[in-house]
Amino acid sequence: MSLEEYRGKRNFTKTIEPPGGKVGGERIFVVQEHHATHLHWDFRLAIDGVLKSWAVPKEPPTVPGVKRLAVQVEDHPLDYADFEGEIPEGEYGAGSVKIWDRGTYEMKERTSDKLLFSLHGKKMKGEYYLIKFKKAGEKNWLFFMKKGNAKQ
Ligand code: MN
């Protein structure tokens, strides 16, 4: 199961994060601003019943021309899309999490090393690429808006 890594990293008697269990095929995305050891933004896309997840070290792009590194991390349960709060000191990912943006999406193209999707959020609106950036490492992707696709 794809949530084993997620569950293996966490102690659910200590963290208030969800162990997961929700099922569904919703086309949603969420971005969580995570004040961990290093501030980052977690971009999550509901695909195949889980939230495929990437940690983005800088604020995600909201205009074309901005390229961000996005490091793929373990799949998260769908329930995580609603999570906000404080992960306790000493636990995995300790620090505060708050929702930075969320909405629905449509997948336009999907291969093992390229995703093209349209986001309908408050901050993130328009077509986005996530493209594997193998030179920089197996889990590294580039995240940017499709050119000529300004805010709608
Ligand atoms: Mn995080």
Side-chain angles (χ1 to χ4, degrees):
M1 274 302 293
S2 124
L3 292 175
E4 267 172 29
E5 186 180 351
Y6 170 85
R7 291 182 177 132
K9 284 179 171 178
R10 291 168 176 83
N11 179 347
F12 296 104
T13 64
K14 293 189 174 157
T15 185
I16 57 169
E17 296 164 287
K22 189 176 171 182
V23 290
E26 300 148 279
R27 299 253 178 260
I28 55 126
F29 81 96
V30 65
V31 185
Q32 283 148 325
E33 184 178 327
H34 187 180
H35 292 257
T37 314
H38 298 284
L39 171 64
H40 61 274
W41 286 259
D42 288 302
F43 177 76
R44 309 189 198 281
L45 211 49
I47 298 178
D48 300 339
V50 293
L51 294 174
K52 294 284 171 195
S53 298
W54 290 262
V56 184
K58 291 183 179 175
E59 202 172 86
T62 54
V63 290
V66 177
K67 274 200 171 79
R68 295 293 188 229
L69 175 69
V71 181
Q72 190 166 11
V73 296
E74 76 274 18
D75 295 345
H76 279 51
L78 293 176
D79 322 56
Y80 211 93
D82 297 318
F83 178 70
E84 286 192 303
E86 194 73 31
I87 300 169
E89 197 78 26
E91 295 308 301
Y92 182 74
S96 75
V97 174
K98 66 179 181 196
I99 292 172
W100 183 82
D101 198 16
R102 70 190 310 175
T104 58
Y105 82 90
E106 287 140 48
M107 189 64 74
K108 307 274 180 169
E109 267 183 70
R110 180 185 171 194
T111 66
S112 60
D113 54 7
K114 183 169 113 182
L115 302 175
L116 171 64
F117 46 85
S118 187
L119 297 182
H120 310 286
K122 288 216 166 82
K123 295 177 176 134
M124 302 182 83
K125 298 175 190 203
E127 293 196 303
Y128 282 79
Y129 278 113
L130 264 168
I131 293 179
K132 251 192 190 167
F133 183 43
K134 290 183 189 126
K135 270 187 293 185
E138 203 43 51
K139 304 204 157 187
N140 291 354
W141 298 62
L142 284 175
F143 189 24
F144 55 95
M145 285 192 86
K146 191 175 173 182
K147 278 221 171 83
N149 202 270
K151 285 191 181 187
Q152 294 152 0

